[in-house]
Amino acid sequence: MAKTEKEQDMEDVRQPLIGMNVQELRSLVKELGMPAFTGGQIAKWLYLHHVRSIDEMSDISKVNRERLKQVYTVGCKDHIDAQYSKDGTIKYLFPTSNGKFVETVYIPDGERATLCVSSQVGCKMNCLFCQTGKQGFEGNLTTADIINQIYSLPEREKLTNIVFMGQGEPLDNYENVLRTTQIMTADDGYAWSPKRITVSSIGVKSKLKRFLEESNCHVAISMHAPTPEQRAEIMPSERAMSIVEIVQMLENYDFSHQRRLSFEYIVFKGRNNSKKDADQVIALVKHLDCRINLIRFHAIPNVPLEGVSDEEMEQFRNYLTAHGIFTTIRASRGQDIFAACGLLSTAKKSKEA
């Protein structure tokens, strides 16, 4: 049954329960005069059963459900648009708590299904090759906004992996991204292994160090050029934290066991695909246990960059592999619906709203 206007207005001012961990849920029920164990019950209803309303929490008394409903709502929001690629990729558009929109990409691949989640509306980093950066920055997503991309996904039960590689720089919204990964991996949350989650970053000073020490999730660093000079031409953030500084920091951590370190490398014709460039990549990461993921460039308007042929991609990969660097070419998915790497943007939707 559709919500009445009064019910919708009431829901808009209530706080979402999704995005809270079990400790926070226990605290809030105590403040409402309920037993602390009710917080654990709510956590199960949220992250195990994925209820859509507080009324579905049947082992909580009706009186306590009514108390909850005065201040809180589950907080899940359905997608408002979906685009389907010929390769099976689906791009969803979700509303956010600040009245904006964010894109989320579901990528099925045999027995594996990956969700590419967003952490911000737009992005501050303004990398030359990325459409999201052209949108500008329109706000951080709350933990509830991030969790909702998983919670409200129609294919949620099929997911095997999550990557923070959608809109925004995850470590620029550090607290909410970390909280999301903690809920995803907590026994009272989704109980996922950290090995199923990868957080990508261009390298944000102090936040990268914190993430390396406060999380066991996989790490992916956006390299895209092997020297500070080259990288600064396409990534303004290089001036704040150099790729050399990033690598030096990473050398202090162990990636030889369960946790994986990878570098993302979009290959641009005449900019970063020469033998010299490959040698510089090899020299840069020689002390790290890592892999390189080569990514095809997807053209965006008014950007003077060009991709390379499949043959050139393979030559670059083979050269790195021959010199001891485990290197893969990432399959390009969802390009026909602008869901591939670097193409996400909700600027048009934000203007229409």
Side-chain angles (χ1 to χ4, degrees):
M1 181 183 296
K3 296 185 177 79
T4 66
E5 187 174 334
K6 182 178 180 181
E7 288 173 328
Q8 186 63 57
D9 289 343
M10 184 179 177
E11 183 166 302
D12 288 344
V13 299
R14 290 183 291 175
Q15 297 298 307
L17 292 171
I18 62 170
M20 292 189 184
N21 59 38
V22 71
Q23 292 81 14
E24 292 165 330
L25 292 170
R26 286 173 180 150
S27 295
L28 78 84
V29 296
K30 286 177 71 174
E31 289 176 5
L32 293 174
M34 305 178 200
F37 68 79
T38 309
Q41 292 175 301
I42 295 172
K44 286 184 179 178
W45 284 114
L46 295 175
Y47 304 124
L48 182 62
H49 299 295
H50 291 91
V51 295
R52 308 287 298 178
S53 72
I54 290 171
D55 285 328
E56 295 177 61
M57 301 179 183
S58 56
D59 60 355
I60 299 174
S61 72
K62 185 174 181 181
V63 170
N64 284 340
R65 293 201 304 268
E66 291 300 320
R67 285 183 191 170
L68 268 176
K69 286 161 59 179
Q70 293 302 309
V71 188
Y72 296 97
T73 180
V74 169
C76 51
K77 299 178 180 179
D78 288 329
H79 65 273
I80 61 170
D81 188 32
Q83 296 181 49
Y84 299 85
S85 169
K86 60 187 178 184
D87 65 22
T89 299
I90 308 172
K91 183 172 71 173
Y92 290 106
L93 186 71
F94 285 103
T96 67
S97 56
N98 66 351
K100 303 291 184 179
F101 306 92
V102 71
E103 293 183 326
T104 307
V105 182
Y106 172 72
I107 309 167
D109 185 16
E111 295 182 357
R112 182 183 176 96
T114 300
L115 188 68
C116 181
V117 300
S118 294
S119 54
Q120 297 179 314
V121 182
C123 186
K124 299 175 187 176
M125 302 306 156
N126 199 25
C127 297
L128 181 61
F129 48 82
C130 181
Q131 187 68 47
T132 306
K134 307 295 180 283
Q135 178 176 344
F137 178 67
E138 298 185 46
N140 283 327
L141 298 190
T142 64
T143 308
D145 288 330
I146 301 173
I147 287 283
N148 184 62
Q149 296 170 66
I150 303 155
Y151 199 99
S152 297
L153 185 80
E155 297 82 8
R156 182 188 62 245
E157 298 302 327
K158 299 178 182 178
L159 288 179
T160 60
N161 298 83
I162 289 173
V163 295
F164 283 80
M165 296 181 182
Q167 291 178 259
E169 162 55 50
L171 298 192
D172 191 42
N173 187 13
Y174 181 79
E175 299 296 341
N176 291 330
V177 167
L178 182 67
R179 283 167 53 81
T180 300
T181 64
Q182 289 170 338
I183 290 170
M184 292 303 300
T185 57
D187 290 340
D188 295 299
Y190 280 82
W192 275 33
S193 165
K195 293 185 294 182
R196 299 172 65 181
I197 303 170
T198 300
V199 175
S200 176
S201 176
I202 61 171
V204 178
K205 233 171 198 174
S206 76
K207 302 296 176 57
L208 178 57
K209 188 174 191 298
R210 281 189 62 188
F211 184 75
L212 290 167
E213 295 178 353
E214 296 176 9
S215 173
N216 291 316
C217 295
H218 294 323
V219 180
I221 299 295
S222 296
M223 179 192 296
H224 307 309
T227 70
E229 296 75 20
Q230 286 173 284
R231 197 167 182 257
E233 291 179 356
I234 56 175
M235 301 174 69
S237 63
E238 167 66 23
R239 298 177 180 88
M241 189 175 192
S242 165
I243 189 62
V244 174
E245 288 181 79
I246 294 169
V247 168
Q248 288 172 344
M249 179 185 292
L250 293 168
E251 288 174 351
N252 296 315
Y253 298 88
D254 183 7
F255 297 97
S256 61
H257 298 293
Q258 296 295 312
R259 192 178 202 181
R260 189 173 68 230
L261 170 64
S262 58
F263 288 92
E264 310 296 303
Y265 196 95
I266 300 176
V267 185
F268 303 110
K269 190 173 187 66
R271 277 188 178 252
N272 67 354
N273 69 318
S274 68
K275 177 180 176 298
K276 180 182 178 181
D277 295 319
D279 286 333
Q280 288 171 326
V281 171
I282 293 163
L284 182 65
V285 303
K286 63 184 177 183
H287 298 304
L288 290 172
D289 192 322
C290 66
R291 65 177 63 191
I292 305 287
N293 292 324
L294 302 182
I295 304 170
R296 291 173 176 82
F297 173 61
H298 303 106
I300 58 177
N302 304 314
V303 170
L305 295 172
E306 185 180 348
V308 301
S309 67
D310 289 349
E311 182 181 0
E312 289 170 300
M313 289 279 283
E314 291 165 6
Q315 288 173 351
F316 200 80
R317 177 200 60 194
N318 295 345
Y319 188 85
L320 293 178
T321 301
H323 287 78
I325 308 297
F326 180 63
T327 307
T328 62
I329 298 174
R330 183 189 293 169
S332 183
R333 299 290 300 274
Q335 187 173 357
D336 56 329
I337 56 170
F338 298 95
C341 183
L343 297 182
L344 298 184
S345 175
T346 50
K348 183 174 184 292
K349 287 292 181 183
S350 295
K351 289 175 183 175
E352 290 173 353

